[in-house]
């Protein structure tokens, strides 16, 4: 038999079939301050930033199948939004995230106090429920992200416990928590929610668009990383030095 | 009877390709030099091999020596080049294959699968993952060799072919939800291995397969695939 043309080998390899596995997921919880002080330009810029985030991630084919977004707001009360754009909150906490291809950026309005502690606690619980869902369904996943944005300080009782819980969860690598303070934010209080390696950053002006562009690029990179990758994140172009303390 | 190893460099380690090459070569070289397979030829050794337990113990010692040699070889290269050893981080999957079973040790997220004469597919090792999809352990990680030797696995099955692969092919070759090898991936590879009569031609076919559009559409990672048939069982 002429080995160089060897039809048998080629045919055999053409018969190799592939497993059909779900894409690995990277959940990100957006925990957003919609208290009264965000009213006006701040909330408008935040909404525009969310639109940019959705557009950028949808344009990335792989990220659109791997990144999952959940949205919680704290303004007066804590609300878990339907990330697919519906008006009802998801009945099952594990349904609070959708892949980017189904994500609809919300149009937020601002009013009320700042129950930030409760919001962070709820977000951590949603992330845990989502991880459990992944495990039940045999879906690989990356370390989830939590992006906390505020222009104030928590007004709810017991926020300290939620801050401790967030810091502990970051410490055991259960979540990557990024906290962003908008002008007027109490950065020292915000730091209590953060791991030592990832202190809160202060947003330059109302550069929400830059913040969410950075977030989309970071999530694209993380969601396509492979074992051993250190996944360098794009440079932060939206923060300023915090001189408040 | 055969020995086999595959290694995959860590994406973040600048010299991991050389680490992987050195590790795999050191592991296989050690097994060929003092492991069971080199002793498989002579009549006297074959008689000794009737003592299955003794043979298995020797294989286990050989595999331990192979992993230690791989770790040492990576260290030697790091020292010679003045690099931190973590710059050579790689995975390593290593197996001693006999017609009646496979003994394997593994660091990281490779996969070793045995295919029986009847087509039955058995995972000898499964990829070691951290909590998250982009985490695993490497040959250069603290305590990795000792942990791998503690977790050495043996599959006592009739072996027609063995397949070793690195993480780039995992999502094609494993059913993640059930954590089992995808039989329809491995069975044709076993038939392919059994039909090999020229290694260069077969290697070219495998390379073409890995570079084919239907594989490339599913993974953009670097890919390592080793297939081998055990040949007819000894009389």
């Amino acid at each position: 038999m002429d080995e160089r043309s060897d039809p048998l080998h080629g045919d055999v390899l053409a018969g190799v079939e592939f497993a059909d596995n779900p894409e690995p997921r990277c959940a990100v919880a957006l925990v957003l301050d919609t208290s009264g002080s965000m009213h006006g330009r701040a909330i408008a810029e935040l909404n525009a930033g969310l639109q940019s985030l959705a557009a950028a991630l949808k344009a990335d084919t792989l990220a659109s199948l791997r990144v999952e977004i959940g949205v919680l707001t704290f303004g007066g009360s804590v609300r878990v939004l339907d990330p697919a754009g519906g008006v009802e909150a998801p009945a099952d906490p594990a349904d609070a995230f959708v892949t980017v291809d189904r994500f609809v950026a919300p149009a937020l309005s601002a009013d009320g106090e700042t129950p930030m502690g409760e919001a962070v606690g709820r977000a951590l619980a949603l992330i845990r429920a989502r991880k459990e869902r992944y495990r039940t369904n045999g879906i690989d996943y990356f370390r989830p992200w939590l992006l906390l944005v505020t222009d104030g300080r928590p007004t709810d009782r017991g926020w300290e416990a939620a801050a401790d819980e967030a810091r502990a969860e970051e410490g055991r690598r259960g979540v990557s928590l990024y906290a962003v303070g908008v002008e007027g934010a109490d950065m020292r209080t915000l730091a209590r929610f953060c791991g030592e390696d990832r202190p809160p950053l202060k947003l330059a002006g109302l550069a929400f668009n830059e913040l969410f562009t950075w977030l989309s690029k970071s999530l694209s990179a993380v969601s396509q990383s492979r074992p051993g990758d250190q996944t360098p994140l794009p440079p932060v172009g939206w923060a300023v030095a915090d001189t408040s303390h | 009877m055969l020995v086999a190893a595959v290694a995959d460099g860590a994406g973040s380690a600048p010299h991991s390709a050389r680490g992987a090459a050195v590790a795999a070569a050191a592991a296989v070289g050690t097994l060929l030099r003092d492991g069971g397979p080199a002793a498989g030829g002579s009549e006297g050794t074959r008689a000794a091999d009737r003592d299955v337990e003794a043979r298995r113990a020797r294989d286990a010692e050989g595999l331990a020596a192979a992993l230690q040699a791989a770790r040492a070889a990576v260290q030697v290269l790091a020292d010679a080049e003045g690099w931190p050893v973590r710059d050579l981080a790689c995975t390593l999957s290593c197996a001693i294959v006999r017609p009646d079973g496979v003994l394997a040790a593994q660091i990281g997220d490779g996969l070793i699968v045995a295919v029986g004469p009847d087509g039955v597919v058995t995972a000898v090792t499964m990829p070691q993952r951290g909590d998250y999809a982009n985490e695993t352990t490497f040959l250069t990680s603290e305590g990795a060799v000792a942990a791998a030797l503690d977790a050495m696995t043996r599959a006592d099955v009739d072996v027609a072919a063995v397949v070793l692969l690195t993480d780039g092919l995992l999502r094609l070759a494993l059913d993640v939800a059930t954590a089992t090898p995808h039989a329809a991936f491995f069975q044709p590879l076993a038939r392919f291995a059994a039909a090999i009569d020229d290694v260069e031609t077969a290697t070219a076919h495998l390379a073409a397969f890995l570079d084919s559009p239907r594989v490339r559409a599913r993974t953009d990672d670097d890919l390592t695939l080793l297939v081998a048939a055990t040949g007819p069982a000894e009389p």
Side-chain angles (χ1 to χ4, degrees), chain A residues 8-243:
Chain A
L8 174 64
H9 274 122
D11 286 352
V12 172
L13 290 178
V16 173
E17 293 176 25
F18 303 139
D20 187 16
N21 288 308
E23 296 291 335
R25 306 296 162 85
C26 182
V28 52
L30 306 177
V31 186
L32 307 174
D33 189 338
T34 54
S35 63
S37 55
M38 288 285 288
H39 186 75
R41 260 196 73 210
I43 201 76
E45 295 292 330
L46 175 59
N47 282 331
L50 290 169
Q51 295 284 349
S52 304
L53 175 71
L57 285 174
K58 283 173 197 283
D60 180 334
T61 313
L62 211 46
S64 74
L65 301 173
R66 294 183 168 185
V67 175
E68 296 192 329
I69 300 183
V71 185
L72 293 89
T73 59
F74 51 102
S77 62
V78 175
R79 288 179 60 215
V80 178
L81 306 190
D82 176 358
V87 289
E88 301 278 326
D92 182 336
D95 289 330
F97 297 86
V98 291
T99 46
V100 163
D101 58 340
R102 295 177 50 210
F103 175 63
V104 178
L108 305 174
S109 54
D111 190 28
E113 295 283 294
T114 313
M116 184 157 78
E118 184 194 341
V120 169
R122 290 273 291 279
L124 292 171
L126 294 181
I127 287 170
R128 278 194 294 271
R130 195 68 186 171
K131 284 185 184 175
E132 189 56 40
R133 172 76 64 83
Y134 296 149
R135 284 192 287 266
T136 305
N137 291 293
I139 297 173
D140 274 346
Y141 57 96
F142 302 91
R143 191 198 307 194
W145 283 40
L146 192 162
L147 179 76
L148 172 61
V149 178
T150 183
D151 72 340
R153 63 165 67 209
T155 53
D156 51 341
R157 279 161 163 268
W159 67 266
E160 294 91 343
D164 290 346
E165 187 193 352
R167 216 169 50 248
E169 193 68 27
E170 164 91 37
R172 69 174 86 96
R173 309 173 64 251
V175 68
S176 299
L177 190 149
Y178 292 84
V180 178
V182 184
E183 187 62 48
D186 176 349
M187 297 302 286
R188 196 171 298 190
T189 302
L190 196 51
R192 290 201 42 182
F193 288 83
C194 298
E196 278 177 25
D197 297 338
R198 226 187 317 264
L201 291 170
K202 189 158 187 191
L203 192 67
L206 292 174
F208 281 108
N209 203 49
E210 290 77 3
L211 167 64
F212 284 106
T213 299
W214 171 85
L215 181 66
S216 75
K217 285 181 181 163
S218 300
L219 292 171
S220 286
V222 168
S223 68
Q224 285 156 45
S225 63
R226 298 191 278 258
D229 284 357
Q230 273 158 8
T231 323
L233 299 182
V236 171
W238 43 265
V240 291
D242 173 34
T243 53

Side-chain angles (χ1 to χ4, degrees), chain A residues 9 16 19 21-22 141 173 228, chain B residues 12 132-133 135 171-172 174 176:
Chain A
H9 274 122
V16 173
N21 288 308
Y141 57 96
R173 309 173 64 251
Chain B
S12 60
Y132 302 122
E135 295 179 349
R171 290 173 47 72
L172 286 65
L174 264 189
V176 174

Side-chain angles (χ1 to χ4, degrees), chain B residues 63 102-105 123-126 148-149 151-155:
Chain B
L63 212 47
V102 182
L103 183 73
V124 187
T125 64
M126 286 292 286
L149 296 181
M152 201 181 282
T153 50
R154 198 180 64 225

